[in-house]
Every structure is written in structure tokens, then in C-alpha cells.
Amino acid sequence: MSWQSYVDDHLLCDVEGSRLTSAAILGQDGSVWAQSTNFPQLKTTEIDGIRKDFEEPGHLAPTGLFLGGEKYMVIQGEAGAVIRGKKGPGGVTIKKTNQAFVFGIYDEPMTGGQCNLVVERLGDYLIESDL
């Protein structure tokens, strides 16, 4: 299965009538493995901040999480495993795997819990597959 099909079939899937607005799988070095057409172009400093927050949980909390220049308020996550952000009625979930970051960005009517489920389920599968 190609990385693009993981994004198209597993991240952008229908969840109770709603779906993520954009999604991506990036290597921990920031290289794009696959992404939806409308996923924001991430800056090197944004990837560095995400990587550092996984190494030092709470690093992004004071400044916020930035994706393509858009600021998200960092909300509860799982130290070293998941970063969650909120922006208005939407937000983002980022799951760290052994080699990658799985991103899901959502907006209403999808909820944060639904986004978490989609992103973390794929992330857990990749971890079990040693990816």
C-alpha cells in the first residue's frame, strides 16, 4: 500500500458523516511521505517545534503550535506520543510513530475526539508495523 493511500483511505475516511479537512504523514525529519492536497506547507521551524515538543513535552504550550503559519492552542495530549491543538471550532492531532508524524486537521462538524480516533488508530498501526 502506498503512503498516499494511507492518507486517502485511512485518514480522510468518513466518520459518522464527517471527515478531516486535511491530513498528512511526514517523516520525523519533515519530509513529506503523503498528504492531502490542502494540507498546509509546514516551515522547518514548525517541524522543529513539533519534534522538540515530543522530546520535551510542554515546549509548545507557551507559544502555541504553528502549522503553515496558523496558530493552534496546545491542549491535552500524551507526553511523547500525541500533540493536540485547538483553533476555533477545529483543531489538529499529531501522533508520533517510530519514524513519522501523522497529522489530522479537522473543523466542524467533526469533533476533536473523532479526529483523535482516526489519527491515533493509524499511528498505533504504524507503530505496531515498526514504522
Side-chain angles (χ1 to χ4, degrees):
M1 186 183 296
S2 77
W3 288 113
Q4 192 60 49
S5 64
Y6 280 105
V7 170
D8 296 340
D9 301 337
H10 297 281
L11 291 176
L12 297 176
C13 61
D14 186 75
V15 180
E16 298 175 14
S18 59
R19 61 182 61 225
L20 296 172
T21 56
S22 63
I25 302 172
L26 275 62
Q28 291 184 13
D29 61 357
S31 61
V32 176
W33 292 10
Q35 65 183 17
S36 60
T37 54
N38 58 345
F39 188 78
Q41 182 69 41
L42 301 185
K43 299 176 177 88
T44 304
T45 55
E46 294 170 341
I47 292 291
D48 291 344
I50 291 165
R51 189 179 312 108
K52 185 159 182 135
D53 196 79
F54 279 118
E55 294 166 3
E56 300 172 24
H59 169 75
L60 291 174
T63 59
L65 165 66
F66 286 85
L67 300 176
E70 294 286 320
K71 184 177 181 176
Y72 293 79
M73 179 178 64
V74 178
I75 57 175
Q76 94 290 348
E78 296 170 33
V82 179
I83 298 170
R84 296 186 184 108
K86 187 90 173 115
K87 180 178 184 280
V92 62
T93 301
I94 308 168
K95 171 77 174 181
K96 180 183 178 204
T97 72
N98 299 340
Q99 301 175 31
F101 299 130
V102 180
F103 290 78
I105 298 176
Y106 69 96
D107 208 342
E108 288 182 325
M110 183 172 255
T111 66
Q114 290 170 322
C115 177
N116 296 342
L117 185 69
V118 169
V119 172
E120 293 175 39
R121 184 184 308 152
L122 178 59
D124 289 340
Y125 170 77
L126 294 177
I127 290 169
E128 289 169 13
S129 302
D130 204 30
L131 294 168

